[in-house]
Amino acid sequence: MAREAIPLGLGKGKSRPKLRAVGIGGAGCNAIASCGFEAVALCNGTDSFETPPYHRKIVLSDDSVRFVRSISPRLLSAMDNDAARGVRDALGESDMLFLFTGLGGETGSHLTPGMAHLGRRCSGLVVVSAALPFSVEGVGRKETARNSLPRVLEAAHATITYPNDGLLKLAPNLPLRKAFKVMDSIMMFPALELSQVITRDDLTELRGDLAHVSELRLGIGEGGGLNREDQAVADAFTSPWFDRPMDKVPMAILVVSGRDVDQYILSNVLERVQRRIPHAAVRYAGRSDPSMGDRIRLMLLLGYAP
Ligand SMILES: Nc1nc2c(ncn2[C@@H]2O[C@H](COP(=O)(O)OP(=O)(O)OP(=O)(O)O)[C@@H](O)[C@H]2O)c(=O)[nH]1
Ligand SMILES: [Mg+2]
């Protein structure tokens, strides 16, 4: 028996939240390259980028990175030195804060938990998008990521994880640099879709729903022609990141985009998704994207129980 489905994008006046993205470390800063709203890169001096991946860049020295990882977020919020000011400046003030990071290196792994924690003080909803290392990167990086992830999950309101190995199924044989680039745009996708539909009033509801899940996983599907809803849903559920039993998924968020996504398309997609995750409460929205032509695209986030 399907649980409730509640539309996103409601609320008086449909006022839009103030959004902010922060890239942390090399991976995080590359991931915000295509961000359509305010984005700040927080990195150290050795991180280099192919394209300017940010609207603003804050560089922390190695000493600052070491300092930030050595003290509690509570102390950091009160301290007055370059490192603490840099972190606070990066986080800024927002209604919804997206932190992008790659766990496995030093900067992302050690700064993200504290920044997610601190982010709760300056934003209503903190969503971390975290890439997890490829197996070929070695056990050391895997171990660092494994140690950091539980602290990120605890600190953020929501964490979307992307084990990089999943990409090998989507786009095999890519050289590492190209694989990272693909990963960057995949990781930005949910933030961009959500930024188009979410209202301030949604944030409180979402925060409540997200309190019941530990991590989120992304599926993206596309469909065209007469069965486009079937295709888009089937395609999204082939996601390499959906690796738990579907009947145990307690919550999902979906956004359907297309030239003219109407209630008919939306309820067709919703019904097909709910058949596959029968026990999930679903938040959903549709949005217009003229560039899609006759095709539709589905952004589907599944929340996993702790
Ligand atoms: N999506 C994406 N992931 C990356 C990129 N570069 C590295 N990664 C992944 O993110 C993990 C962390 O790497 P970095 O972000 O370079 O590390 P860092 O946080 O800058 O930390 P240090 O450089 O060690 O201080 C790596 O193990 C990779 O799995 C990138 O450009 N894009
Ligand atoms: Mg780095």
Side-chain angles (χ1 to χ4, degrees):
M1 176 59 193
R3 286 180 54 195
E4 79 254 72
I6 302 169
L8 289 166
L10 299 179
K12 288 189 215 83
K14 302 201 171 184
S15 99
R16 291 268 174 227
K18 184 174 187 300
L19 305 172
R20 189 179 182 98
V22 180
I24 307 171
C29 292
N30 280 318
I32 61 172
S34 58
C35 185
F37 48 90
E38 188 177 20
V40 181
L42 185 79
C43 53
N44 67 24
T46 60
D47 291 321
S48 61
F49 316 110
E50 278 181 39
T51 42
Y54 42 78
H55 300 148
R56 248 181 83 207
K57 179 161 112 173
I58 296 174
V59 180
L60 294 183
S61 66
D62 287 349
D63 281 348
S64 292
V65 172
R66 271 193 291 275
F67 173 78
V68 172
R69 61 184 277 198
S70 71
I71 68 167
S72 74
R74 195 170 56 79
L75 279 178
L76 194 65
S77 70
M79 297 202 76
D80 194 26
N81 59 25
D82 281 352
R85 273 195 301 272
V87 167
R88 287 201 299 269
D89 208 16
L91 291 173
E93 293 284 332
S94 62
D95 299 309
M96 190 168 183
L97 177 67
F98 293 93
L99 300 180
F100 291 88
T101 188
L103 303 183
E106 291 296 309
T107 310
S109 306
H110 297 301
L111 261 51
T112 307
M115 287 187 66
H117 195 93
L118 213 51
R120 284 178 175 248
R121 293 176 181 221
C122 37
S123 184
L125 189 65
V126 181
V127 180
V128 173
S129 297
L132 307 178
F134 285 104
S135 296
V136 292
E137 293 182 74
V139 287
R141 284 196 168 241
K142 280 229 160 217
E143 186 64 19
T144 306
R146 220 186 343 263
N147 289 332
S148 172
L149 183 59
R151 297 193 295 130
V152 175
L153 294 178
E154 198 182 314
H157 291 113
T159 304
I160 313 172
T161 50
Y162 300 88
N164 280 341
D165 282 342
L167 197 60
L168 302 176
K169 291 191 196 138
L170 286 182
N173 308 321
L174 278 186
L176 201 59
R177 188 175 277 272
K178 284 231 168 80
F180 282 149
K181 255 201 150 18
V182 174
M183 206 60 204
D184 293 343
S185 54
I186 290 177
M187 285 170 72
M188 186 46 72
F189 186 59
L192 292 180
E193 290 297 286
L194 287 172
S195 73
Q196 298 291 315
V197 298
I198 264 183
T199 62
R200 275 174 200 263
D201 287 19
D202 289 326
L203 296 179
T204 320
E205 306 288 328
L206 270 179
R207 211 168 37 234
D209 288 352
L210 290 164
H212 304 293
V213 303
S214 67
E215 67 195 282
L216 294 148
R217 290 288 177 88
L218 173 69
I220 302 173
E222 259 193 53
L226 285 178
N227 298 322
R228 56 191 180 171
E229 292 96 342
D230 285 320
Q231 282 174 23
V233 172
D235 192 22
F237 274 94
T238 63
S239 169
W241 295 298
F242 291 172
D243 59 1
R244 298 216 199 147
M246 290 299 156
D247 60 345
K248 297 210 163 55
V249 170
M251 190 243 169
I253 301 170
L254 68 86
V255 179
V256 184
S257 55
R259 188 171 53 200
D260 27 40
V261 174
D262 54 16
Q263 203 52 46
Y264 176 75
I265 294 176
L266 210 46
S267 35
N268 274 344
V269 171
L270 191 59
E271 188 193 310
R272 283 158 179 74
V273 168
Q274 283 184 307
R275 248 184 258 144
R276 290 173 183 252
I277 45 170
H279 303 297
V282 183
R283 300 260 164 194
Y284 68 95
R287 74 174 194 92
S288 168
D289 181 351
S291 73
M292 290 295 297
D294 289 333
R295 299 180 68 75
I296 59 165
R297 185 180 287 145
L298 170 63
M299 189 285 292
L300 177 63
L301 288 170
L302 299 188
Y304 286 161

